Amino acid sequence: MSSILVIGTVAFDSVKTPFGEAPEVLGGSATFFAMAARLFTSVRLVAIVGKDFPSQHLKMFEKNGIDLQGLVRSDGLTFRWKGEYEENMNVRRTLETHLNVLQDFQAEVPESYKNTPYIFLANINPELQLKVLDQLNHPKLVCCDTMNLWIINQRKDLEEVLKRVDFFIISEEEAQMITQDHNIVRGAREILKLGHFSLLIKRGGYGAILFTQQEQVFAIPAYPLENVVDPTGAGDTFAGGFLGYLASRDRLDLETVQRAMVFGNITASFAVEGFSVDKLTDLTRDKVRDRLGDFLRMTHLAPVSANVE
Amino acid sequence: MSSILVIGTVAFDSVKTPFGEAPEVLGGSATFFAMAARLFTSVRLVAIVGKDFPSQHLKMFEKNGIDLQGLVRSDGLTFRWKGEYEENMNVRRTLETHLNVLQDFQAEVPESYKNTPYIFLANINPELQLKVLDQLNHPKLVCCDTMNLWIINQRKDLEEVLKRVDFFIISEEEAQMITQDHNIVRGAREILKLGHFSLLIKRGGYGAILFTQQEQVFAIPAYPLENVVDPTGAGDTFAGGFLGYLASRDRLDLETVQRAMVFGNITASFAVEGFSVDKLTDLTRDKVRDRLGDFLRMTHLAPVSANVE
């Protein structure tokens, strides 16, 4: 079982969905990732919060075995994001973004973190992702995420990051934005040229699909959910389950990667059933196990012969 | 191996996609269905065409073992549909519809067809679907499709049909239209109340998902395609592969149904790689077999334990 270091945002989210509203709740890419990955292994957090960040959240992280040595507590205000979802929960609108303390974030990696074998560069400015990479001692595996803002405004930094990662984990919309191609297979081929990584594309309520440099493809449907309350953080939670499982197994063969996709999928299915990290705080391995069993029953095809006679 | 009877449209389609245009080409729900199902078993066609319908198409049907005894050749003009697709091929706009001979179609089932065990009520006015059902002698299995027009304008007839079918096969958008609910799981539960059928929802480039009255769920991703030229007829082709496989096996247990979904999926993946039935006319079982092998490699999860320690 190997540790994971995550750099990303810890934030206050204000979210409105057709099913309700949650003002100023705990959010951020590193938050969702850490709360998922901690189910599988120990997690080290590199992030920044402001003086307004309540100690109850810090205690919650610590209670869940998340190492906060790399969490800077600054004088300013914590990063804030406000957004809303349409009836079709796949469509999201950002209403406000207040960077606040994020603007001064130096992304310094504590000495005790520098040998961490598994790294997740959660969605944050790619300059900061690069800065973290420069401070590490030969990690075993590096994964990264990004968002539309960096794809458009900081493409060069993003491409520098991509030369140095093993997995690039993005949403289908982000993949389409990078390539300007709606076809996911053609798009994936283009994106794979940007480095030596495997590409893992998240398709929201439709599952996920993996493309490797060796032209392997692996697709899974999503766990069918009846109550999607708030999709915020689903992608980060997917990454947390994915990398958490890989680190816990400490293996990187294709079969383990495929299983890790399923664990990411299942972990994310819990996150979207509540606002903020509500459904992740009391999530246990037992609950993940139960839903995994359901998922396997819902997707496992009994052996089928290609002989159609 | 059991025969299939299909009632539906045989049409001239004029289609425009971001990749090209195809004016006045062979289309229609029964056409695509029959050209897929004929790979697996013999198919009997109940449909109408006009005097402008070229004999080369008739010969093509016959060459592919499609029985045309139930195909009426009328004095008017063949049904025509014109539509275009946006860059995102999941979004389609109908530009023109000319019913022509369809308006006088009586949907008479030839005597020799009346004992056919497998029935597909392809997308056509539900009054005609009912009329066909009334002429049959205790079929073994009835599946039906529909479209937005009938959901809105002929809901009562459609609901009469649904009381008498074993599988209802529709697109995700149609399911959402029936229930006014974006959530597919909640929506499926509502739709299942309309009869005793299993519900098979087609999700375009994202695969398909099955819901049974016994609350079983089964989901498959789509075969990832690099060249989607024209999605017209994909749903009918899916149904043709699905029901064709079931009829060829003449079994209705859940495992056979799950496999049939995969065959539907694979058969449809060929249809969308060309305009009209271009990619179905020379499709063979060998080609289906090859792609099925690829699909299984891309989706088969090596045994995974729910034990995450």
Side-chain angles (χ1 to χ4, degrees):
Chain A
M1 196 161 85
S2 295
S3 296
I4 299 177
L5 179 157
V6 55
I7 174 187
T9 60
V10 174
F12 287 125
D13 287 347
S14 293
V15 185
K16 193 175 169 184
T17 81
F19 301 98
E21 252 179 288
E24 298 266 315
V25 292
L26 179 60
S29 60
T31 298
F32 284 102
F33 177 89
M35 286 301 293
R38 61 97 197 172
L39 287 165
F40 302 90
T41 189
S42 57
V43 180
R44 297 160 174 175
L45 184 62
V46 177
I48 190 168
V49 293
K51 61 183 180 203
D52 56 346
F53 196 75
S55 60
Q56 88 210 47
H57 289 338
L58 298 174
K59 280 186 197 129
M60 192 273 291
F61 280 136
E62 276 169 342
K63 206 188 98 197
N64 283 293
I66 296 166
D67 185 331
L68 300 183
Q69 222 183 308
L71 181 72
V72 178
R73 272 144 277 194
S74 167
D75 266 352
L77 293 174
T78 301
F79 169 53
R80 275 164 173 78
W81 175 81
K82 187 175 182 176
E84 69 179 14
Y85 293 84
E86 293 184 12
E87 189 65 39
N88 172 351
M89 300 273 253
N90 292 315
V91 183
R92 171 163 101 175
R93 244 195 328 276
T94 288
L95 301 174
E96 289 175 31
T97 306
H98 301 285
L99 290 180
N100 299 335
V101 296
L102 258 191
Q103 293 175 89
D104 310 314
F105 187 35
Q106 298 303 312
E108 272 171 45
V109 177
E111 208 51 46
S112 64
Y113 283 15
K114 291 188 176 172
N115 289 315
T116 313
Y118 288 82
I119 311 296
F120 188 62
L121 310 172
N123 174 29
I124 199 165
N125 191 319
E127 278 181 35
L128 294 172
Q129 294 178 325
L130 282 171
K131 213 170 154 195
V132 164
L133 282 180
D134 286 340
Q135 297 170 74
L136 301 172
N137 298 327
H138 309 291
K140 184 167 178 181
L141 188 86
V142 180
C143 304
C144 86
D145 190 0
T146 195
M147 73 183 290
N148 50 7
L149 188 67
W150 319 124
I151 292 169
I152 295 168
N153 297 336
Q154 267 176 268
R155 182 69 167 248
K156 221 180 133 209
D157 289 324
L158 174 60
E159 293 193 359
E160 278 309 304
V161 174
L162 291 183
K163 287 177 187 155
R164 298 167 67 178
V165 303
D166 304 289
F167 281 92
F168 184 27
I169 307 180
I170 48 174
S171 72
E172 185 158 11
E173 295 72 36
E174 288 156 359
Q176 288 164 339
M177 183 175 282
I178 291 172
T179 60
Q180 297 295 310
D181 191 333
H182 263 88
N183 185 285
I184 205 76
V185 182
R186 277 197 309 267
R189 182 166 299 146
E190 281 309 301
I191 295 171
L192 286 172
K193 290 178 187 162
L194 300 173
H196 307 286
F197 53 80
S198 292
L199 176 64
L200 189 38
I201 298 178
K202 300 166 287 183
R203 313 178 98 179
Y206 298 109
I209 185 165
L210 171 78
F211 297 91
T212 75
Q213 294 286 340
Q214 293 76 39
E215 302 205 346
Q216 292 150 316
V217 177
F218 185 70
I220 54 171
Y223 180 85
L225 282 175
E226 187 157 353
N227 289 304
V228 179
V229 172
D230 175 14
T232 308
D236 308 305
T237 310
F238 175 92
F242 174 77
L243 195 52
Y245 181 77
L246 282 187
S248 75
R249 292 281 156 178
D250 205 11
R251 290 180 55 174
L252 300 172
D253 56 286
L254 183 62
E255 284 191 3
T256 305
V257 168
Q258 292 171 341
R259 287 178 196 144
M261 284 171 68
V262 174
F263 277 98
N265 201 355
I266 298 299
T267 314
S269 75
F270 287 99
V272 302
E273 292 184 314
F275 284 104
S276 182
V277 292
D278 289 359
K279 298 291 173 185
L280 293 178
T281 47
D282 62 350
L283 188 58
T284 61
R285 289 192 203 181
D286 275 344
K287 289 185 189 174
V288 172
R289 262 186 218 116
D290 285 349
R291 191 167 280 187
L292 173 64
D294 287 344
F295 178 81
L296 295 177
R297 274 186 292 280
M298 286 180 194
T299 58
H300 181 72
L301 192 69
V304 48
S305 156
N307 185 339
V308 297
E309 257 88 34
Chain B
M1 198 162 83
S2 296
S3 295
I4 299 176
L5 178 157
V6 55
I7 174 186
T9 61
V10 173
F12 287 124
D13 287 347
S14 293
V15 184
K16 193 176 167 183
T17 81
F19 301 98
E21 253 178 285
E24 298 267 313
V25 292
L26 179 59
S29 59
T31 299
F32 283 102
F33 177 89
M35 286 301 292
R38 61 96 197 172
L39 287 165
F40 302 90
T41 189
S42 57
V43 179
R44 297 161 174 175
L45 184 62
V46 177
I48 190 168
V49 294
K51 62 183 179 203
D52 54 347
F53 196 76
S55 60
Q56 87 210 47
H57 290 337
L58 298 173
K59 280 185 196 130
M60 192 273 292
F61 281 135
E62 277 169 341
K63 206 187 100 197
N64 283 293
I66 296 165
D67 185 330
L68 301 184
Q69 221 183 306
L71 181 72
V72 178
R73 272 142 278 193
S74 167
D75 267 352
L77 294 173
T78 302
F79 169 54
R80 277 164 171 78
W81 175 80
K82 186 175 181 177
E84 69 179 12
Y85 293 84
E86 293 183 9
E87 187 66 41
N88 171 352
M89 299 272 252
N90 292 315
V91 184
R92 170 163 102 175
R93 243 196 327 275
T94 287
L95 300 175
E96 289 175 30
T97 307
H98 302 284
L99 290 181
N100 299 336
V101 294
L102 258 191
Q103 294 175 88
D104 310 313
F105 187 34
Q106 299 303 315
E108 272 171 47
V109 177
E111 209 51 45
S112 62
Y113 283 14
K114 290 187 176 172
N115 289 315
T116 312
Y118 288 81
I119 310 297
F120 188 62
L121 310 173
N123 174 30
I124 199 165
N125 190 321
E127 279 181 35
L128 294 172
Q129 293 179 325
L130 282 171
K131 212 170 156 193
V132 165
L133 281 181
D134 286 339
Q135 298 170 72
L136 301 172
N137 298 327
H138 308 292
K140 183 167 179 180
L141 187 87
V142 180
C143 304
C144 87
D145 189 3
T146 194
M147 73 183 292
N148 50 7
L149 188 66
W150 318 124
I151 292 169
I152 295 168
N153 297 339
Q154 267 176 269
R155 182 68 165 248
K156 220 180 132 212
D157 289 323
L158 174 59
E159 293 192 1
E160 278 310 305
V161 175
L162 292 183
K163 287 176 189 157
R164 299 168 66 178
V165 303
D166 303 290
F167 280 92
F168 184 29
I169 308 180
I170 48 175
S171 72
E172 185 159 8
E173 295 72 37
E174 287 155 359
Q176 289 165 340
M177 183 175 282
I178 291 173
T179 60
Q180 297 296 310
D181 191 334
H182 263 88
N183 185 284
I184 205 77
V185 183
R186 276 196 310 264
R189 180 165 302 144
E190 281 309 301
I191 295 171
L192 285 172
K193 290 178 187 163
L194 299 173
H196 307 286
F197 51 81
S198 293
L199 176 64
L200 189 37
I201 298 179
K202 301 166 286 183
R203 313 179 97 179
Y206 297 109
I209 184 163
L210 171 77
F211 297 90
T212 75
Q213 295 286 342
Q214 294 76 37
E215 302 206 346
Q216 292 151 315
V217 177
F218 185 70
I220 54 171
Y223 180 85
L225 282 176
E226 187 157 353
N227 290 305
V228 180
V229 171
D230 175 13
T232 308
D236 308 304
T237 310
F238 175 91
F242 173 77
L243 194 53
Y245 181 77
L246 282 187
S248 75
R249 292 282 155 178
D250 205 11
R251 291 181 53 173
L252 301 172
D253 57 285
L254 184 62
E255 284 189 4
T256 305
V257 169
Q258 292 170 342
R259 287 177 195 143
M261 283 171 67
V262 174
F263 277 98
N265 200 356
I266 298 299
T267 314
S269 75
F270 287 99
V272 302
E273 292 183 313
F275 284 103
S276 182
V277 293
D278 289 359
K279 298 291 172 183
L280 293 178
T281 47
D282 61 352
L283 188 58
T284 61
R285 290 193 202 181
D286 275 343
K287 288 184 189 175
V288 172
R289 262 186 217 115
D290 286 349
R291 191 168 278 188
L292 174 64
D294 287 345
F295 177 80
L296 295 176
R297 275 186 292 279
M298 286 180 193
T299 57
H300 181 73
L301 192 68
V304 50
S305 159
N307 185 341
V308 296
E309 258 87 37

